[in-house]
Amino acid sequence: MSVAGRSVLQGTLAFVLVAAIHVMALQSGIPVPEVLAFFSLVVVIVSLILVKRSFSTAAALKRQTKPACVGSNGEFGRPLDCASK
């Protein structure tokens, strides 16, 4: 599954979860069900952010990248500058 497809699936599941929590709160007679739905939404958004970071970190660890070189004055050099140092 592509990254975009996975994101759409995760977002849809998050929406369904928050909607289900809101409907159950309405049916149970909680005085302010919107507050519960809001906090559920915040938790879901933070969870999606953490999941997205874990996928991008895992992909980044699998990629072969060239090391960044730091010159004597602390500036980043081009990859070709690494061979001369």
Side-chain angles (χ1 to χ4, degrees):
M1 182 180 293
S2 69
V3 175
R6 188 170 33 216
S7 296
V8 170
L9 178 65
Q10 290 170 350
T12 303
L13 290 174
F15 175 75
V16 168
L17 178 68
V18 172
I21 289 172
H22 185 66
V23 168
M24 289 189 307
L26 283 171
Q27 291 177 349
S28 67
I30 292 178
V32 188
E34 292 81 14
V35 174
L36 180 62
F38 174 75
F39 283 116
S40 301
L41 183 63
V42 170
V43 169
V44 165
I45 289 172
V46 170
S47 300
L48 287 174
I49 291 170
L50 293 175
V51 166
K52 175 66 176 164
R53 284 187 176 198
S54 69
F55 280 134
S56 62
T57 303
L61 290 175
K62 292 178 185 175
R63 269 194 314 262
Q64 295 289 334
T65 57
K66 295 180 181 180
C69 293
V70 178
S72 59
N73 58 358
E75 295 177 352
F76 284 96
R78 294 179 306 178
L80 295 177
D81 294 340
C82 295
S84 63
K85 295 185 183 193

